Structure formats: structure tokens, C-alpha cells
Amino acid sequence: MSRLVLGVVTGVILVLPLLAPAYHVLLMLPFMAYAVIVLGLNLLFGYTGLVSFGHALFIGIGAYTGAVLTTHLGVRSLELMLLASAALGALIAAPVAALCVRYVKIYFGMLTLAFGMVFYTFLLKFYRLTGGDEGMQVLRPTLLGQDLGGIPKTDYLVGPYYYYSLAVLVLAGLVMWRIVHSPFGLCLRTIRDNPTKAEALGISIVRYRWSAFVISAVYAAVGGALLGPPTGNVDPTLAYWTHSGNIVFMTLLGGFANFFGPVLGAFVFIFLQDTVMAVVPYWRLIFGAILALVVIFAPTGLMGLVARRRPAEVARA
Amino acid sequence: MILRAEGVRMFYGDFCALDGVSVRVDTGEFVSIIGPNGAGKSTLINVLTGALKPSGGTVRFKERDISGIGPVRLARLGMARSFQLVQVFPDLTVVETLQAAVVSRLGRGTRVFAWLGRDSEVREGALEVAELFGLADKAHTPAKHLPQGDKKLLDVASAFALYPEIILLDEPTSGVSTRDKHAVMEILVSASKRLGIKSIIQVEHDMDIVFGYSDRIVALHQGKVLADGPPEEIRANDDVVNTVVGRKAGAFERGA
Ligand SMILES: Nc1ncnc2c1ncn2[C@@H]1O[C@H](COP(=O)(O)OP(=O)(O)O)[C@@H](O)[C@H]1O
Ligand SMILES: [Mg+2]
């Protein structure tokens, strides 16, 4: 059943650029980038039980890595941008995670928030490298060595870049699927459910939390790198704490107890935000209300509502 | 000698919960710790399992100082425990819980991309323990949906799945009906034989069980060892009978 749904959804996404207006196809680009980001965030949130309010830091790392590579260093290959983002994300996450995972609950959340703030300020103040509050340009990357500079921007985005993003998302999803079904993934869930008992079974909670944090940061950085090229610009708001809040919102909205929940949440968030913003200027008000409703009436998110008929599956997801 | 505590003192603030406790456990022994509520039994278990660092004294496991080294390293050294207040993973099924223990024992937790469901060694290890503990027909029930007695059993079973050399059980049969307590004890004894667990230390209130299964009994009272010896000796000890065994004395003498 769920395989069928997944197959249909993938099919629709594959043919979408041929059927849908360019406007909606373009909206799919941030969706796919955020889908990668929240897949990673949920390893930490849904599977390890830690809520980070600072993951926009790693989105910023990825986005600015792409910008610096294309504008300052003359590197235009998207593959290199993604690899460099992943590597830099891991490099910065390693010490940040080592500090944060020693704390839990609100203290963990506040520490991640603090690191996010520090990085945001860095982006604002180190004008020469980052362009300050104006941000930086991201030049159009080459895809698999193909220089696509000659075609109009929209054609580039709804064509090659769209399928490239989709390929990255599918790959990221498959890798994450393996991770959560691995012995490692099981250890993360023991820690989420009961750290005391996990330790009694010889599972080192600090080590596993650290690993989950670093993996989630790599996902955020890769997704962040994908966010830049469609707009051609990155700015510090990518690393601002409200952005961290947005991805937590997506995860809650879709449902953190289900593997695909956060991806659904990212999709609904992006398209709803677009719709609401077109109608009223104060979309945050509407979104605040939605978030409150989700937390109160559907704590397992949209996926929880869909899957309610099969409680056993939810428990095992 | 596998485990030895010497002159252990444990303070909670000003309150002295353990006041110079010395105990030892030999390989192959089944030792019961008895004592009235608040005697310090759980505190002693926590000190012996490295969960609490004692304020004074030493704890040695296989000739190695383990005071306060923490549960993770102790599990690797071959010591496991279960808790007085039952500890399970609410959203994990019985078999997942046991798989987690087997994964930990085999050191496979670092396998980030391996497919757990296809690891037959882990699955069979988990199912074997589930069967030994009579939990096989509930293998796919999430722990939170188990009745209280089965939760307790799962807590114990997952500790057994680590194949420790010594296991410390804090009231393994609490919350289990008297009739089932014996069944649980039979499971513990046969499972430890089967899995090669050499020594068992348990905290237990049911004197029938204590006298029926123990090689040696340690009676604690107000943070001190009141008596330490084989069942016959403890039974003949008036101090113990008065402070610990109390009114139940008649019952166990009849039973024994
Ligand atoms: N964390 C703690 N902080 C303060 N006092 C404690 C703590 N844990 C136990 N105690 C006290 O220490 C004494 C021994 O407790 P415990 O070892 O749990 O006894 P038992 O398991 O024999 O019933 C009790 O008086 C208890 O109130
Ligand atoms: Mg106790």
C-alpha cells in the first residue's frame, strides 16, 4: 500500500515539469532541498529524541559554501559544491555536536540555538567574505560537467536542475532509509525512548547522539547547498533562528514519528506558504495558528492522521 | 571472586545510605540481598554496577576498580543489570528491545548502513532470549503495551541478552503475582545456565524465594551489613529474623 503511494508520488514528481506550469515546478525546488534537510533533522528529532533549534546554521554552511565556491573560487560544479558542503557541515558539526549532545531537552535546544546565533552574526559581520546582510551571489552551477550557461534560467531550473535536485533527494532518502533500519538506527531509538536503559545495555548515548547530530548536519548542509542556485542568492536569514524554527515546524507538521512525515511537512509548508503569502501579507500569523492546531490536535502530524488506521505501523515506523 | 565491594560508603547529602558495606560474590554464586525498605539495597546495586560513584570505599570487578565507571563500560566488561523501577523502551517491540541488546553485545551499533532485518545472528540471538523468557508470542508487541509483569521480564531479559558474566537484578519479581514469582525464578535460573551467566545478585523481598534459590544471603539494615551467609545460617540469625524477615518467618519455615 505505502509502496504504491510512494511509486505514484515519485511518478508524479518525475512528469511534473512536463505538465505543471513553471511557477509550481519552481516551487518544487525549495521543497526538494527542504525535504533533504528535514530527512536529516528527523534522524535527530524523531529517531534520537533531540530537538535542535539551530540547524539553520548548517543550512547556512551549505548555502554559503556554494556561494563562496562559485563567486570567489571559480568552482562551478554542483557535485563539488555538494561534497564541499557536506564535508564542511560535518567538520563544523563535529565540535558543535560534541558540546551540545552532553545536554538534553531544553538545554540541548538552547545550546544549538546559541551556536546558530553565533554563526548568523558571523555571516553579518564578516562582510568581505560573506557580503554581510546583502548576502552573496550563487552563480549557475554546472551539472555533471555540463555547462548549461546558454539556456534561459527558467529552462535550466525546471529542467536539468529539477531532475538533479530530485536525484539528490532520492539518494538522500535511500541512504537515510538504510540508516534508520540499521543496527545504528535501532540504537538511536533506544536512546530516544529511554537513555538510562540504553546505557545499561552498553549503548553509549553521547557517541550515538553525536553521530546522529553530525549526519543531520550533513543533510542540512547538502539541502542548504541546493537552496542557493534557484534564487541565485544567499543571505544571512538562511542561518537565522526563525529558519531553524521553520524546519522544526515542517517536521512537526508532517509528523516526526513517520519516515516520510517530515518530507510531507516540507511539501505542505512550501506550497501553503506560497498560497497564504499571495493572499495575506502576515503569513506567520496563519502559520502560528496552524502550528498550535497541529500540536494540540494532531501531535503525530499529517502522517499521523493518515496512518491512524494502522497504529501498529506508526509505532514501528 | 568476581565482584568485591570494600568499605563502601554512600552519602546523599548528609544522609548516609551505605555505611561501610563490604560484600563479595564468587563465580557461580546466586546471592540475594535482603533488608527492609530504605536499607540501602538499591543504592548498593547502583554502586556495584558503577551507576553511582561511592563516597568512600572500593568496588572491584574481576580485579579491576570499577567505582563510578558507568554502565556502558561495565556492560562491555561483562556486567549487566535490571532496575527496581521497570525500564523498557516504550515504542520498541519485544524483539527490537532484545535485538538492541544483541547489537550492543556484538559491537554492531556502528554499522550505519547494514540492514538490521537481514542480520540473522542478531535476530536469532534476540528470538532465543525471547523464547527463554516466554516472550516469543509477544515478539512484535511494543513494550508500552505489555502488562506490567512482562515489562519487568523484558527489562531482565534484555540484560540477559548481553550474555554478562554477572547480572544484578533489583527486585526482578516485584509486580509479579506470588504464584508467578517461582516461574520467573525458574526462568532466571535456566536462562542463566543456558546463556553462560555465572553469577546472579538479586534484591528480593519474598523470603520463600530468597531461601529457596540463594547460595548466600546478605542482609542489609540501615546501610550496614547485618548478616552474610548461607541460608541456614541466616535463618538461624535472630537479628535478621527480627529486623528483616519479620512476621514472614513462620511462613518460610513452613515452606522450607
Ligand atoms: N537519590 C537519592 N537522594 C536522596 N536519598 C536517597 C536517594 N536514593 C535513595 N535515598 C535514600 O537512601 C536510603 C536507601 O534507599 P534505597 O537504596 O533505595 O533503599 P532500598 O532499595 O533498600 O529500599 C533511603 O532512605 C532513601 O530514602
Ligand atoms: Mg530498592
Side-chain angles (χ1 to χ4, degrees), chain A residues 31-32 35-36 39 164-174 226 263:
Chain A
F31 154 64
M32 291 191 278
V36 173
L39 275 173
Y164 197 104
S165 298
L166 181 59
V168 173
L169 172 58
V170 168
L171 189 65
L174 287 174
L226 284 179
V263 176

Side-chain angles (χ1 to χ4, degrees), chain B residues 37-38 40-43 84 170-171 203 205:
Chain B
N37 275 330
K41 304 181 297 294
S42 293
T43 303
Q84 178 175 356
D170 198 348
E171 305 197 11
V203 173
H205 284 295

Side-chain angles (χ1 to χ4, degrees), chain A residues 110-160:
Chain A
M110 287 299 112
L111 259 186
T112 55
L113 183 65
F115 280 108
M117 300 267 198
V118 169
F119 184 66
Y120 172 73
T121 313
F122 167 84
L123 291 179
L124 274 184
K125 298 299 173 197
F126 284 74
Y127 187 88
R128 293 240 329 263
L129 179 65
T130 66
D133 59 355
E134 283 172 20
M136 299 176 74
Q137 252 195 314
V138 183
L139 302 180
R140 187 184 297 184
T142 64
L143 307 177
L144 301 172
Q146 303 289 308
D147 186 349
L148 300 161
I151 59 176
K153 179 161 189 194
T154 304
D155 291 353
Y156 168 78
L157 289 177
V158 304

Side-chain angles (χ1 to χ4, degrees), chain A residues 130-283:
Chain A
T130 66
D133 59 355
E134 283 172 20
M136 299 176 74
Q137 252 195 314
V138 183
L139 302 180
R140 187 184 297 184
T142 64
L143 307 177
L144 301 172
Q146 303 289 308
D147 186 349
L148 300 161
I151 59 176
K153 179 161 189 194
T154 304
D155 291 353
Y156 168 78
L157 289 177
V158 304
Y161 193 81
Y162 178 94
Y163 287 106
Y164 197 104
S165 298
L166 181 59
V168 173
L169 172 58
V170 168
L171 189 65
L174 287 174
V175 170
M176 189 53 77
W177 184 255
R178 291 293 295 212
I179 292 176
V180 304
H181 289 91
S182 69
F184 171 79
L186 178 63
C187 292
L188 295 185
R189 292 192 292 143
T190 65
I191 292 166
R192 170 198 68 195
D193 272 18
N194 188 338
T196 308
K197 176 67 180 168
E199 280 201 306
L201 292 184
I203 297 166
S204 161
I205 55 181
V206 168
R207 259 183 44 200
Y208 283 94
R209 280 180 176 152
W210 181 88
S211 309
F213 192 110
V214 172
I215 294 170
S216 73
V218 167
Y219 270 66
V222 167
L226 284 179
L227 279 175
T231 57
N233 193 67
V234 297
D235 69 58
T237 56
L238 281 169
Y240 198 49
W241 67 276
T242 55
H243 201 213
S244 295
N246 284 356
I247 59 175
V248 172
F249 184 179
M250 292 175 191
T251 307
L252 272 173
L253 180 64
F256 59 87
N258 184 290
F259 183 84
F260 296 103
V263 176
L264 177 66
F267 179 82
V268 173
F269 185 101
I270 295 295
F271 280 82
L272 199 63
Q273 185 188 37
D274 182 71
T275 313
V276 175
M277 270 164 88
V279 184
V280 288
Y282 34 87
W283 66 276

